[in-house]
Structure formats: structure tokens, C-alpha cells
Amino acid sequence: MGATKTDLFTQQQNEMAAMAKALAHPARIAILQYLVKKNACVCGDLVEELGLAQATTSQHLKELKTAGIIQGSIEGVSVCYCINPKVWKQYKELFNAFFKDVDLQNTCC
Amino acid sequence: MGATKTDLFTQQQNEMAAMAKALAHPARIAILQYLVKKNACVCGDLVEELGLAQATTSQHLKELKTAGIIQGSIEGVSVCYCINPKVWKQYKELFNAFFKDVDLQNTCC
DNA sequence: TTGTATTATTGCAATATTACGATTAATTTT
DNA sequence: AAAATTAATCGTAATATTGCAATAATACAA
């Protein structure tokens, strides 16, 4: 026990949960907001911007990259990160679809 | 170390991350989808529906309740759960706002 | 080649999450 | 009142996440 029982759920449910998990840390929210704002691909700045250690920042970047929502490319001695627009759109649409269809009138308790 | 450094981030960032965290488990996604589909407030069924132990199911329900997105009321010997439409709308709007403003053209790497 | 700058990885400690059996609490039913 | 039903809580084990120092890896500059 201790590990999520992914086999009990549909692929869609696991995927949705994985997407949410990628966003489930304020540092990763901050990174995404920063990337959206600056658009240009910054990276080393993130360590200063966040106030977390370099190792920790790198780890969060890795998670976002694994989730697919950002991408990085080597730019000389540093690495340029930016939003992956295709995956971003996917996130947007799936969250949108998830929250869409609820009849706000029909409460029961 | 080990605990999230919430003080490094804005309240908005922490809140957004907390919302995502509530959705960051397939069982909780499944619960919400079930509640949306059935609309009516079921509860004991969830144990059977999910395939998780009663204690585990109850724990997930508690997390969703703490996050505010569902609400429960005692209905005789059982407990009726349903979506909290007001908070649901809030989630919807905040996720919407988060994913809104990205220029999908301007990639850099 | 040697040094410098930047990011990734490793190893580890602290904390959080997930899951479940057992127990408790509350309400019905008999 | 006694038994049954339902859900919450407690205790505990397994696993995951968060964070950082230290180290490695990579690319450039001198």
C-alpha cells in the first residue's frame, strides 16, 4: 500500500490526475506564469525568481518537462525553457471539458 | 526540508496549486465525474464504484470536502455528497483564467 | 588545455500522500 | 434495548514528494 492504484481507473482519469499533479505545486505554477509573462525562454533567472535552490528549481522544471507542458533547448551554456503551446492547449481543453457540464441549479444537500 | 515553502509564493499561486492538488488523484477525478453524472447525492456507492476500501474512499471525500469542491450532509444512516456549485464555478473560472492568455505562435525553443 | 558558467543528477533527510484494517460514532431497524 | 448499517477516524505501513548540498556533465572562453 502507499502507491496510487492506477489500474482501478480509466486512462482518461489517470491522465487528468497527472495533468493536475503537474500543476499541484506553487513553484510550478510560478514557473508557468513566469514563462507565460516573459514568453521569451529564460531559465537561470528562475532560480532567483523563485527563491528555491538550483537543484530544486531544476527538479520542478524536469517535472513540467516530463508532463510535456514546457520544453527546453540548449542555448550555448544555458538552457532555454518555454511553454509547449500544443500541450498547453491540450491542458486548457481538457480542464475546460472537465468543468463544463454541471447544472449549477441542481444541488441536493 | 520536505515541506512546500508556501511563503515563497503568492497567495494566488498557493491557491491555484491547492486546487490542482485536489484534482491530482484519479480517485478524486472519478468521484467528481460520478457526482456530476449522477447529480443526485450518492455516497456508499462510491466505495463499490471506485474499488477502493471504505476508509480510503472516505479519505478522498474528505480531501475534496476540505478543498470545498464537494459538500456532504447526513441523510439518515448514510451521507449524501454532491458538487458545491459555487466552488465548482470558481475552479472553472480560475483554471480558465490560468490557461487563457498564451500566444500559441510565439515559441522560442 | 584549463578555467568558468550553467544546468542536471545523485544522495539524503524531512514531510506528505495513499491505502487499508480496526475501531468508533451515529442512526435505523428489528 | 439489541443488532445492523453506514461513514468517519485512528494507527500504521508503503510509497511519493519536496528541498538542498555536493557532485557530475556540458558548453564556452581564455
Side-chain angles (χ1 to χ4, degrees), chain B residues 21-83:
Chain B
K21 202 179 230 173
L23 306 178
H25 194 288
R28 296 197 287 274
I29 294 289
I31 289 174
L32 292 174
Q33 288 180 329
Y34 189 79
L35 285 179
V36 166
K37 194 177 74 178
K38 299 285 180 180
N39 189 41
C41 317
V42 207
C43 174
D45 315 281
L46 279 173
V47 176
E48 232 182 308
E49 176 77 8
L50 298 182
L52 287 170
Q54 185 267 319
T56 309
T57 305
S58 186
Q59 207 172 338
H60 283 302
L61 283 168
K62 191 184 179 184
E63 271 177 81
L64 289 171
K65 219 168 75 181
T66 300
I69 200 164
I70 69 172
Q71 54 195 171
S73 65
I74 298 168
E75 201 84 17
V77 83
S78 59
V79 174
C80 162
Y81 281 104
C82 63
I83 302 289

Side-chain angles (χ1 to χ4, degrees), chain A residues 13 41 73 82 96 108-109, chain B residues 13 33 41 73 82 96 108-109:
Chain A
Q13 287 165 340
C41 316
S73 63
C82 63
N96 227 48
C108 68
C109 42
Chain B
Q13 288 166 339
Q33 288 180 329
C41 317
S73 65
C82 63
N96 228 48
C108 68
C109 42

Side-chain angles (χ1 to χ4, degrees), chain A residues 95 98-100 102-105 107, chain B residues 15-16 18-20 22-23 32 36 63-72 82-96:
Chain A
F95 276 99
F98 183 82
F99 283 114
K100 184 170 263 176
V102 167
D103 187 352
L104 296 175
Q105 311 310 82
T107 4
Chain B
E15 208 172 308
M16 187 74 199
M19 285 167 66
L23 306 178
L32 292 174
V36 166
E63 271 177 81
L64 289 171
K65 219 168 75 181
T66 300
I69 200 164
I70 69 172
Q71 54 195 171
C82 63
I83 302 289
N84 181 329
K86 204 165 178 172
V87 178
W88 183 274
K89 188 156 165 277
Q90 221 175 308
Y91 270 56
K92 178 187 187 157
E93 286 170 357
L94 276 175
F95 275 100
N96 228 48

Side-chain angles (χ1 to χ4, degrees), chain A residues 72-106:
Chain A
S73 63
I74 299 169
E75 200 85 18
V77 83
S78 58
V79 173
C80 164
Y81 280 104
C82 63
I83 303 288
N84 181 329
K86 204 165 178 172
V87 178
W88 183 274
K89 188 155 166 278
Q90 222 175 310
Y91 270 56
K92 178 187 187 156
E93 284 170 358
L94 277 175
F95 276 99
N96 227 48
F98 183 82
F99 283 114
K100 184 170 263 176
D101 41 21
V102 167
D103 187 352
L104 296 175
Q105 311 310 82
N106 254 0

